[in-house]
mmCIF file of all heavy atoms in Angstrom:
data_model
loop_
_atom_site.group_PDB
_atom_site.id
_atom_site.type_symbol
_atom_site.label_atom_id
_atom_site.label_comp_id
_atom_site.label_asym_id
_atom_site.label_seq_id
_atom_site.Cartn_x
_atom_site.Cartn_y
_atom_site.Cartn_z
ATOM 1 N N ASN A 1 130.871 118.296 97.963
ATOM 2 C CA ASN A 1 132.188 117.635 97.831
ATOM 3 C C ASN A 1 132.388 117.354 96.342
ATOM 4 O O ASN A 1 133.341 116.610 95.887
ATOM 5 C CB ASN A 1 132.184 116.300 98.641
ATOM 6 C CG ASN A 1 132.377 116.538 100.168
ATOM 7 O OD1 ASN A 1 133.203 117.606 100.457
ATOM 8 N ND2 ASN A 1 131.707 115.957 100.878
ATOM 9 N N SER A 2 131.456 117.768 95.421
ATOM 10 C CA SER A 2 131.578 117.260 94.001
ATOM 11 C C SER A 2 131.722 118.534 93.092
ATOM 12 O O SER A 2 130.827 119.361 93.169
ATOM 13 C CB SER A 2 130.347 116.456 93.642
ATOM 14 O OG SER A 2 130.235 116.324 92.163
ATOM 15 N N LYS A 3 132.807 118.660 92.436
ATOM 16 C CA LYS A 3 132.955 119.728 91.351
ATOM 17 C C LYS A 3 131.903 119.679 90.395
ATOM 18 O O LYS A 3 131.392 120.679 89.949
ATOM 19 C CB LYS A 3 134.300 119.611 90.708
ATOM 20 C CG LYS A 3 135.492 119.976 91.621
ATOM 21 C CD LYS A 3 136.775 119.753 90.897
ATOM 22 C CE LYS A 3 137.956 119.959 91.859
ATOM 23 N NZ LYS A 3 139.262 119.780 91.173
ATOM 24 N N THR A 4 131.523 118.580 89.938
ATOM 25 C CA THR A 4 130.417 118.362 88.890
ATOM 26 C C THR A 4 129.140 118.848 89.370
ATOM 27 O O THR A 4 128.410 119.541 88.699
ATOM 28 C CB THR A 4 130.485 116.947 88.363
ATOM 29 O OG1 THR A 4 131.673 116.403 87.960
ATOM 30 C CG2 THR A 4 129.343 116.756 87.394
ATOM 31 N N LEU A 5 128.734 118.340 90.640
ATOM 32 C CA LEU A 5 127.402 118.775 91.143
ATOM 33 C C LEU A 5 127.438 120.263 91.499
ATOM 34 O O LEU A 5 126.372 120.890 91.333
ATOM 35 C CB LEU A 5 127.183 117.958 92.395
ATOM 36 C CG LEU A 5 126.823 116.539 92.080
ATOM 37 C CD1 LEU A 5 126.526 115.780 93.380
ATOM 38 C CD2 LEU A 5 125.540 116.359 91.156
ATOM 39 N N GLN A 6 128.532 120.909 91.877
ATOM 40 C CA GLN A 6 128.663 122.297 92.059
ATOM 41 C C GLN A 6 128.376 123.065 90.757
ATOM 42 O O GLN A 6 127.723 123.976 90.779
ATOM 43 C CB GLN A 6 130.004 122.711 92.689
ATOM 44 C CG GLN A 6 130.233 122.284 94.036
ATOM 45 C CD GLN A 6 129.386 123.189 95.026
ATOM 46 O OE1 GLN A 6 129.341 124.473 94.851
ATOM 47 N NE2 GLN A 6 128.749 122.569 95.933
ATOM 48 N N LYS A 7 129.093 122.555 89.754
ATOM 49 C CA LYS A 7 128.850 123.123 88.424
ATOM 50 C C LYS A 7 127.399 123.039 87.941
ATOM 51 O O LYS A 7 126.845 123.986 87.432
ATOM 52 C CB LYS A 7 129.803 122.615 87.361
ATOM 53 C CG LYS A 7 129.997 123.294 86.093
ATOM 54 C CD LYS A 7 130.892 122.706 85.260
ATOM 55 C CE LYS A 7 131.379 123.433 84.099
ATOM 56 N NZ LYS A 7 132.529 122.978 83.314
ATOM 57 N N ALA A 8 126.839 121.834 88.122
ATOM 58 C CA ALA A 8 125.524 121.653 87.783
ATOM 59 C C ALA A 8 124.466 122.604 88.583
ATOM 60 O O ALA A 8 123.634 123.197 88.005
ATOM 61 C CB ALA A 8 125.106 120.130 88.013
ATOM 62 N N GLY A 9 124.791 122.752 89.781
ATOM 63 C CA GLY A 9 124.023 123.541 90.716
ATOM 64 C C GLY A 9 124.143 124.997 90.231
ATOM 65 O O GLY A 9 123.039 125.760 90.320
ATOM 66 N N TYR A 10 125.273 125.544 89.824
ATOM 67 C CA TYR A 10 125.494 126.779 89.409
ATOM 68 C C TYR A 10 124.601 127.019 88.145
ATOM 69 O O TYR A 10 123.895 128.120 88.046
ATOM 70 C CB TYR A 10 126.908 127.093 89.027
ATOM 71 C CG TYR A 10 127.269 128.348 88.382
ATOM 72 C CD1 TYR A 10 127.277 129.541 89.101
ATOM 73 C CD2 TYR A 10 127.440 128.421 87.017
ATOM 74 C CE1 TYR A 10 127.555 130.768 88.519
ATOM 75 C CE2 TYR A 10 127.647 129.604 86.333
ATOM 76 C CZ TYR A 10 127.776 130.793 87.113
ATOM 77 O OH TYR A 10 128.015 131.952 86.462
ATOM 78 N N PHE A 11 124.624 126.093 87.187
ATOM 79 C CA PHE A 11 123.857 126.212 85.962
ATOM 80 C C PHE A 11 122.433 126.153 86.329
ATOM 81 O O PHE A 11 121.650 126.915 85.705
ATOM 82 C CB PHE A 11 124.186 125.109 84.927
ATOM 83 C CG PHE A 11 125.615 125.273 84.307
ATOM 84 C CD1 PHE A 11 126.559 124.267 84.206
ATOM 85 C CD2 PHE A 11 126.057 126.502 83.921
ATOM 86 C CE1 PHE A 11 127.714 124.340 83.633
ATOM 87 C CE2 PHE A 11 127.201 126.642 83.279
ATOM 88 C CZ PHE A 11 128.068 125.545 83.116
ATOM 89 N N ALA A 12 122.049 125.349 87.175
ATOM 90 C CA ALA A 12 120.507 125.020 87.524
ATOM 91 C C ALA A 12 120.021 126.449 88.084
ATOM 92 O O ALA A 12 118.937 126.862 87.684
ATOM 93 C CB ALA A 12 120.357 123.979 88.535
ATOM 94 N N ALA A 13 120.812 127.071 89.005
ATOM 95 C CA ALA A 13 120.386 128.321 89.540
ATOM 96 C C ALA A 13 120.251 129.357 88.520
ATOM 97 O O ALA A 13 119.406 130.289 88.615
ATOM 98 C CB ALA A 13 121.384 128.750 90.678
ATOM 99 N N ALA A 14 121.020 129.388 87.431
ATOM 100 C CA ALA A 14 121.019 130.401 86.392
ATOM 101 C C ALA A 14 119.925 130.159 85.298
ATOM 102 O O ALA A 14 119.780 130.938 84.479
ATOM 103 C CB ALA A 14 122.406 130.588 85.878
ATOM 104 N N MET A 15 119.399 128.842 85.214
ATOM 105 C CA MET A 15 118.616 128.533 84.092
ATOM 106 C C MET A 15 117.263 129.337 84.112
ATOM 107 O O MET A 15 116.751 129.524 85.222
ATOM 108 C CB MET A 15 118.239 126.962 84.195
ATOM 109 C CG MET A 15 119.289 126.152 83.732
ATOM 110 S SD MET A 15 118.759 124.374 83.518
ATOM 111 C CE MET A 15 117.803 124.092 84.971
ATOM 112 N N PRO A 16 116.824 129.777 82.915
ATOM 113 C CA PRO A 16 115.564 130.521 82.892
ATOM 114 C C PRO A 16 114.312 129.463 82.842
ATOM 115 O O PRO A 16 113.290 129.959 82.485
ATOM 116 C CB PRO A 16 115.647 131.260 81.576
ATOM 117 C CG PRO A 16 116.488 130.337 80.643
ATOM 118 C CD PRO A 16 117.552 129.674 81.614
ATOM 119 N N ILE A 17 114.643 128.332 83.335
ATOM 120 C CA ILE A 17 113.533 127.351 83.208
ATOM 121 C C ILE A 17 112.940 127.081 84.716
ATOM 122 O O ILE A 17 113.731 127.043 85.593
ATOM 123 C CB ILE A 17 114.040 125.941 82.688
ATOM 124 C CG1 ILE A 17 114.542 126.077 81.201
ATOM 125 C CG2 ILE A 17 113.012 124.811 82.816
ATOM 126 C CD1 ILE A 17 115.357 125.059 80.816
ATOM 127 N N ASP A 18 111.664 127.046 84.837
ATOM 128 C CA ASP A 18 111.047 126.693 86.067
ATOM 129 C C ASP A 18 110.764 125.209 86.048
ATOM 130 O O ASP A 18 109.841 124.737 85.487
ATOM 131 C CB ASP A 18 109.693 127.526 86.193
ATOM 132 C CG ASP A 18 109.034 127.056 87.548
ATOM 133 O OD1 ASP A 18 109.520 126.396 88.376
ATOM 134 O OD2 ASP A 18 107.839 127.607 87.661
ATOM 135 N N VAL A 19 111.713 124.434 86.718
ATOM 136 C CA VAL A 19 111.485 123.029 86.819
ATOM 137 C C VAL A 19 110.282 122.556 87.471
ATOM 138 O O VAL A 19 109.925 121.296 87.512
ATOM 139 C CB VAL A 19 112.793 122.380 87.412
ATOM 140 C CG1 VAL A 19 114.017 122.613 86.518
ATOM 141 C CG2 VAL A 19 113.002 122.667 88.839
ATOM 142 N N MET A 20 109.691 123.363 88.236
ATOM 143 C CA MET A 20 108.403 123.056 88.939
ATOM 144 C C MET A 20 107.199 123.277 87.999
ATOM 145 O O MET A 20 106.079 122.776 88.319
ATOM 146 C CB MET A 20 108.229 123.948 90.203
ATOM 147 C CG MET A 20 109.341 123.686 91.252
ATOM 148 S SD MET A 20 109.763 121.941 91.446
ATOM 149 C CE MET A 20 108.420 121.455 92.565
ATOM 150 N N ASN A 21 107.430 123.898 86.777
ATOM 151 C CA ASN A 21 106.399 124.002 85.810
ATOM 152 C C ASN A 21 106.515 122.680 84.946
ATOM 153 O O ASN A 21 107.541 122.493 84.349
ATOM 154 C CB ASN A 21 106.659 125.218 84.991
ATOM 155 C CG ASN A 21 105.593 125.369 83.754
ATOM 156 O OD1 ASN A 21 105.636 124.540 82.940
ATOM 157 N ND2 ASN A 21 104.892 126.478 83.879
ATOM 158 N N GLU A 22 105.463 121.963 84.884
ATOM 159 C CA GLU A 22 105.415 120.635 84.264
ATOM 160 C C GLU A 22 105.864 120.740 82.779
ATOM 161 O O GLU A 22 106.715 119.982 82.338
ATOM 162 C CB GLU A 22 103.982 120.038 84.344
ATOM 163 C CG GLU A 22 103.961 118.625 83.830
ATOM 164 C CD GLU A 22 104.639 117.579 84.738
ATOM 165 O OE1 GLU A 22 104.783 117.859 85.908
ATOM 166 O OE2 GLU A 22 104.990 116.506 84.161
ATOM 167 N N ALA A 23 105.272 121.623 81.967
ATOM 168 C CA ALA A 23 105.618 121.722 80.573
ATOM 169 C C ALA A 23 107.128 122.174 80.370
ATOM 170 O O ALA A 23 107.802 121.615 79.497
ATOM 171 C CB ALA A 23 104.581 122.664 79.888
ATOM 172 N N GLU A 24 107.493 123.065 81.085
ATOM 173 C CA GLU A 24 108.901 123.633 80.943
ATOM 174 C C GLU A 24 109.888 122.453 81.411
ATOM 175 O O GLU A 24 110.863 122.224 80.648
ATOM 176 C CB GLU A 24 109.186 124.788 81.869
ATOM 177 C CG GLU A 24 108.627 126.055 81.469
ATOM 178 C CD GLU A 24 109.025 127.257 82.169
ATOM 179 O OE1 GLU A 24 110.222 127.431 82.515
ATOM 180 O OE2 GLU A 24 108.039 128.146 82.450
ATOM 181 N N PHE A 25 109.542 121.785 82.410
ATOM 182 C CA PHE A 25 110.430 120.663 82.974
ATOM 183 C C PHE A 25 110.591 119.599 81.839
ATOM 184 O O PHE A 25 111.595 119.122 81.518
ATOM 185 C CB PHE A 25 110.008 120.127 84.246
ATOM 186 C CG PHE A 25 110.830 118.863 84.650
ATOM 187 C CD1 PHE A 25 112.053 119.069 85.211
ATOM 188 C CD2 PHE A 25 110.331 117.670 84.484
ATOM 189 C CE1 PHE A 25 112.852 117.961 85.567
ATOM 190 C CE2 PHE A 25 111.099 116.546 84.827
ATOM 191 C CZ PHE A 25 112.371 116.662 85.412
ATOM 192 N N LYS A 26 109.356 119.179 81.265
ATOM 193 C CA LYS A 26 109.317 118.083 80.309
ATOM 194 C C LYS A 26 110.138 118.456 79.136
ATOM 195 O O LYS A 26 110.838 117.699 78.518
ATOM 196 C CB LYS A 26 107.780 117.649 80.090
ATOM 197 C CG LYS A 26 107.799 116.469 79.180
ATOM 198 C CD LYS A 26 106.279 115.958 79.086
ATOM 199 C CE LYS A 26 106.406 114.691 78.295
ATOM 200 N NZ LYS A 26 105.015 114.142 78.219
ATOM 201 N N HIS A 27 109.995 119.756 78.658
ATOM 202 C CA HIS A 27 110.671 120.074 77.385
ATOM 203 C C HIS A 27 112.148 120.134 77.701
ATOM 204 O O HIS A 27 113.035 119.664 76.855
ATOM 205 C CB HIS A 27 110.185 121.535 77.022
ATOM 206 C CG HIS A 27 110.950 122.104 75.851
ATOM 207 N ND1 HIS A 27 110.731 121.746 74.555
ATOM 208 C CD2 HIS A 27 111.950 122.995 75.809
ATOM 209 C CE1 HIS A 27 111.596 122.336 73.782
ATOM 210 N NE2 HIS A 27 112.307 123.172 74.494
ATOM 211 N N ALA A 28 112.607 120.637 78.781
ATOM 212 C CA ALA A 28 113.956 120.623 79.156
ATOM 213 C C ALA A 28 114.596 119.287 79.360
ATOM 214 O O ALA A 28 115.732 119.040 78.733
ATOM 215 C CB ALA A 28 114.251 121.499 80.395
ATOM 216 N N ILE A 29 114.014 118.506 80.048
ATOM 217 C CA ILE A 29 114.487 117.132 80.279
ATOM 218 C C ILE A 29 114.535 116.319 79.016
ATOM 219 O O ILE A 29 115.529 115.524 78.670
ATOM 220 C CB ILE A 29 113.763 116.362 81.420
ATOM 221 C CG1 ILE A 29 114.670 115.175 81.929
ATOM 222 C CG2 ILE A 29 112.389 115.818 81.031
ATOM 223 C CD1 ILE A 29 115.724 115.628 82.887
ATOM 224 N N THR A 30 113.537 116.476 78.102
ATOM 225 C CA THR A 30 113.490 115.741 76.830
ATOM 226 C C THR A 30 114.731 116.223 75.990
ATOM 227 O O THR A 30 115.462 115.416 75.373
ATOM 228 C CB THR A 30 112.192 116.016 76.082
ATOM 229 O OG1 THR A 30 111.108 115.549 76.906
ATOM 230 C CG2 THR A 30 112.175 115.340 74.727
ATOM 231 N N THR A 31 114.886 117.586 75.871
ATOM 232 C CA THR A 31 115.937 118.103 75.149
ATOM 233 C C THR A 31 117.363 117.623 75.648
ATOM 234 O O THR A 31 118.193 117.194 74.867
ATOM 235 C CB THR A 31 115.925 119.658 75.114
ATOM 236 O OG1 THR A 31 114.764 120.184 74.673
ATOM 237 C CG2 THR A 31 117.163 120.185 74.312
ATOM 238 N N CYS A 32 117.548 117.679 76.889
ATOM 239 C CA CYS A 32 118.792 117.159 77.525
ATOM 240 C C CYS A 32 118.992 115.784 77.348
ATOM 241 O O CYS A 32 120.240 115.296 76.826
ATOM 242 C CB CYS A 32 118.825 117.457 78.990
ATOM 243 S SG CYS A 32 118.986 119.218 79.345
ATOM 244 N N THR A 33 117.969 114.902 77.271
ATOM 245 C CA THR A 33 118.142 113.529 77.165
ATOM 246 C C THR A 33 118.498 113.151 75.718
ATOM 247 O O THR A 33 119.448 112.422 75.548
ATOM 248 C CB THR A 33 116.760 112.884 77.579
ATOM 249 O OG1 THR A 33 116.417 113.076 78.903
ATOM 250 C CG2 THR A 33 116.832 111.255 77.254
ATOM 251 N N ILE A 34 117.812 113.770 74.843
ATOM 252 C CA ILE A 34 118.253 113.533 73.432
ATOM 253 C C ILE A 34 119.631 114.036 73.144
ATOM 254 O O ILE A 34 120.432 113.284 72.412
ATOM 255 C CB ILE A 34 117.214 114.336 72.469
ATOM 256 C CG1 ILE A 34 115.814 113.674 72.632
ATOM 257 C CG2 ILE A 34 117.748 114.374 70.979
ATOM 258 C CD1 ILE A 34 114.649 114.526 71.971
ATOM 259 N N GLU A 35 120.128 115.116 73.608
ATOM 260 C CA GLU A 35 121.408 115.698 73.297
ATOM 261 C C GLU A 35 122.391 114.751 73.952
ATOM 262 O O GLU A 35 123.543 114.542 73.383
ATOM 263 C CB GLU A 35 121.558 117.081 73.721
ATOM 264 C CG GLU A 35 120.829 117.966 72.900
ATOM 265 C CD GLU A 35 121.000 118.006 71.347
ATOM 266 O OE1 GLU A 35 122.133 117.859 70.949
ATOM 267 O OE2 GLU A 35 120.008 117.899 70.615
ATOM 268 N N ILE A 36 122.234 114.298 75.205
ATOM 269 C CA ILE A 36 123.128 113.427 75.826
ATOM 270 C C ILE A 36 123.341 112.057 75.053
ATOM 271 O O ILE A 36 124.367 111.624 74.827
ATOM 272 C CB ILE A 36 122.805 113.175 77.276
ATOM 273 C CG1 ILE A 36 123.056 114.461 78.094
ATOM 274 C CG2 ILE A 36 123.616 111.912 77.796
ATOM 275 C CD1 ILE A 36 122.472 114.461 79.446
ATOM 276 N N ALA A 37 122.105 111.596 74.652
ATOM 277 C CA ALA A 37 122.172 110.242 73.860
ATOM 278 C C ALA A 37 122.922 110.515 72.525
ATOM 279 O O ALA A 37 123.701 109.576 72.099
ATOM 280 C CB ALA A 37 120.666 109.829 73.604
ATOM 281 N N LYS A 38 122.660 111.590 71.831
ATOM 282 C CA LYS A 38 123.387 111.813 70.547
ATOM 283 C C LYS A 38 124.951 111.927 70.869
ATOM 284 O O LYS A 38 125.682 111.451 70.159
ATOM 285 C CB LYS A 38 122.983 113.211 70.014
ATOM 286 C CG LYS A 38 121.669 113.133 69.433
ATOM 287 C CD LYS A 38 121.266 114.535 68.800
ATOM 288 C CE LYS A 38 119.969 114.650 68.089
ATOM 289 N NZ LYS A 38 119.712 116.100 67.580
ATOM 290 N N ALA A 39 125.416 112.655 71.988
ATOM 291 C CA ALA A 39 126.794 112.657 72.319
ATOM 292 C C ALA A 39 127.347 111.286 72.607
ATOM 293 O O ALA A 39 128.472 111.019 72.220
ATOM 294 C CB ALA A 39 126.967 113.693 73.449
#
């Protein structure tokens, strides 16, 4: 029921990141957190 979550899911499915890999997840979440805070 959410356009935003649908879009996020689309991007998540296409990401080259394995979120189950600890190092990849931590790097990705850190980058996203910093960029959102800057914005």
Side-chain angles (χ1 to χ4, degrees):
N1 291 318
S2 169
K3 290 178 185 178
T4 300
L5 291 176
Q6 285 289 315
K7 191 174 193 175
Y10 172 79
F11 288 134
M15 284 191 311
I17 297 164
D18 177 6
V19 297
M20 301 312 287
N21 176 296
E22 186 71 21
E24 287 186 42
F25 176 77
K26 190 170 182 179
H27 177 74
I29 200 76
T30 300
T31 301
C32 290
T33 300
I34 291 167
E35 293 305 316
I36 290 169
K38 285 180 181 178

